[in-house]
Amino acid sequence: MVYFFTNFDVENTLLGLFFMRISLIALKTTRHTDTQSILTAFSRERGRVSFAIPAGRGREAARTRALTMPLGLVECETEIRPGREILPMRQARPIAVNAGIHANPLKQMVAMFVAEVLALTLSVGVPDERVFDFVTEAATRLENADERGTANFPVCFLYRLGEILGIEPDISTYNKGKLLDMRDGRWRTSAPIHGECLSSSASEAAALLARMTFDNMEAFRFRRGERAEITDAILHYYSIHIAPLGSLKTLDILRSML
């Protein structure tokens, strides 16, 4: 096979510039200037990345905002240049349209919460196809969830994401009455010296979560207070093992709606 290169191609190759198509999950948008915002996203090809996108009231800005709502699934073209941390976004189009998420206030809030967690826990420049595929499926499951499934979605998502990231508790160590050691993710017969463990009842509830999947999450019946306690415990577990999550902006609003 013969390849033909133009002077433009050769020059860009020498400069380290190349173009690629990227599939991404939108996480959060931050206003940068009157005409530009910065989108934080997780891509299949390059892990967590940042894009410059149009801001303001123009047609293109409105279209881009609609595409890049939290958990929006988008494909676009960009150019990679050495030393450039913020990428340009061109020819963006939806991979899937999950309009039901943003038409439902509760689902929209859940999506914002999940996206904020992902923005804080996923590493810059570290691609992970398993994470990308998991979040892509999760967005579709949230789109189609009923009321109770939507309420339980954050708990299910956090537990299953921990499994993908390799920090889930070792359920093989569980027996009734044991306590979950939050630092090493194992159930123990007595509280560890460091004190980072759940109570007996909370440890039993944590073991129950190992059975929760996107297929059966609507079958779990939690009271509002129980759901809040479980969510707080999982976020604390994440804070110990991955990144601090004590200052999530969406958490209090989510609690008020679930």
Side-chain angles (χ1 to χ4, degrees):
M1 182 177 291
V2 179
Y3 293 92
F4 296 95
F5 295 94
T6 66
N7 289 336
F8 178 77
D9 294 325
V10 173
E11 181 180 355
N12 284 339
T13 300
L14 292 174
L15 291 172
L17 172 67
F18 63 95
F19 297 87
M20 69 183 302
R21 196 149 193 87
I22 284 183
S23 300
L24 61 93
I25 301 162
L27 301 180
K28 69 173 183 177
T29 301
T30 305
R31 191 65 171 260
H32 183 56
T33 67
D34 289 342
T35 60
Q36 190 179 79
S37 293
I38 305 300
L39 170 69
T40 300
F42 187 74
S43 69
R44 178 188 292 277
E45 297 80 5
R46 297 182 69 84
R48 203 180 85 188
V49 290
S50 296
F51 288 92
I53 60 174
R57 299 183 179 181
R59 180 181 299 176
E60 184 61 23
R63 177 180 179 275
T64 304
R65 276 196 299 272
L67 287 174
T68 57
M69 298 287 279
L71 299 191
L73 304 174
V74 180
E75 185 180 68
C76 71
E77 289 184 359
T78 191
E79 61 183 48
I80 308 299
R81 189 188 300 267
R84 174 184 281 177
E85 296 182 358
I86 300 177
L87 305 176
M89 177 181 285
R90 301 190 179 96
Q91 298 185 20
R93 67 176 184 84
I95 296 174
V97 179
N98 292 323
I101 291 177
H102 301 291
N104 181 308
L106 178 56
K107 290 184 178 184
Q108 185 177 43
M109 193 65 241
V110 169
M112 292 173 65
F113 168 77
V114 165
E116 187 180 10
V117 169
L118 290 170
L120 292 172
T121 57
L122 299 179
S123 301
V124 175
V126 181
D128 189 323
E129 290 191 4
R130 288 186 69 208
V131 172
F132 186 90
D133 291 341
F134 168 75
V135 179
T136 298
E137 180 191 2
T140 301
R141 296 302 189 110
L142 177 58
E143 167 85 5
N144 298 319
D146 61 16
E147 184 175 355
R148 185 183 298 150
T150 300
N152 288 340
F153 183 91
V155 171
C156 184
F157 179 89
L158 289 172
Y159 192 93
R160 291 302 159 195
L161 176 63
E163 186 177 42
I164 298 292
L165 297 178
I167 64 167
E168 82 280 14
D170 181 3
I171 191 64
S172 70
T173 62
Y174 171 74
N175 281 308
K176 189 174 179 62
K178 284 188 172 184
L179 307 178
L180 177 59
D181 183 327
M182 297 285 273
R183 288 194 182 178
D184 70 1
R186 297 170 65 86
W187 277 265
R188 300 189 176 280
T189 55
S190 60
I193 296 175
H194 55 69
E196 291 277 10
C197 70
L198 297 182
S199 67
S200 179
S201 60
S203 294
E204 184 174 351
L208 181 65
L209 294 184
R211 305 177 189 174
M212 180 183 278
T213 67
F214 290 133
D215 290 325
N216 66 12
M217 61 186 176
E218 73 282 349
F220 285 73
R221 297 177 180 271
F222 298 119
R223 293 188 292 271
R224 173 177 288 190
E226 291 174 332
R227 192 180 290 114
E229 288 180 10
I230 292 170
T231 302
D232 286 345
I234 299 177
L235 291 176
H236 182 58
Y237 189 82
Y238 269 73
S239 296
I240 293 172
H241 293 273
I242 298 183
L245 297 178
S247 59
L248 291 170
K249 297 178 181 178
T250 54
L251 184 57
D252 286 342
I253 302 173
L254 183 70
R255 282 184 181 136
S256 70
M257 298 179 70
L258 292 180

